[in-house]
Amino acid sequence: MMLRRRACDASQYNEKQIIGRKRGTLARVPLVAAVRKNQRWSMDFMRDTLADGRKFRTFDMVDDFSREKPALEVDTSLPGTRVVRVLEGAAAVAARGNRQ
């Protein structure tokens, strides 16, 4: 009986700590709008399931100025080394485009 009460008290205490915790009060700085192509890219990971139950992931990149997609990678697994390879490839293509 004593163990149950302590466990209950501990869970209530942790809940109060989490709910009552204040977040940092840093001032938010708005993002400056991109004024040229390849100045800033936004990236996102998404996950979905096929009709047969297999899961797949996507790694999407969008140029914030032109809304073009410099890269889109889809597979059942996207390890960090592969994401780095995609980023480096997109950066190389962007660098070639800037020289022309």
Side-chain angles (χ1 to χ4, degrees), residues 34 36-41 63-66 68 70 90-91 93-95 97-98:
R36 67 180 186 279
K37 189 175 175 181
N38 294 326
Q39 184 178 11
R40 184 176 60 226
W41 294 333
D63 184 284
D64 288 348
F65 179 75
S66 66
E68 294 176 352
V93 169
N98 288 340

Side-chain angles (χ1 to χ4, degrees), residues 20-95:
R21 193 177 295 162
K22 289 187 178 181
R23 295 181 183 235
T25 56
L26 296 175
R28 291 186 179 218
V29 178
L31 286 176
V32 178
V35 294
R36 67 180 186 279
K37 189 175 175 181
N38 294 326
Q39 184 178 11
R40 184 176 60 226
W41 294 333
S42 295
M43 298 173 275
D44 190 21
F45 289 94
M46 291 187 279
R47 182 182 76 71
D48 206 351
T49 307
L50 298 171
D52 63 1
R54 291 183 298 160
K55 295 178 181 163
F56 69 95
R57 294 189 59 142
T58 67
F59 172 66
D60 305 307
M61 290 177 58
V62 178
D63 184 284
D64 288 348
F65 179 75
S66 66
R67 298 292 182 205
E68 294 176 352
K69 286 194 176 223
L72 171 64
E73 195 76 12
V74 181
D75 205 346
T76 55
S77 174
L78 293 172
T81 53
R82 183 138 169 224
V83 172
V84 169
R85 187 173 46 213
V86 170
L87 289 170
E88 288 173 345
V93 169

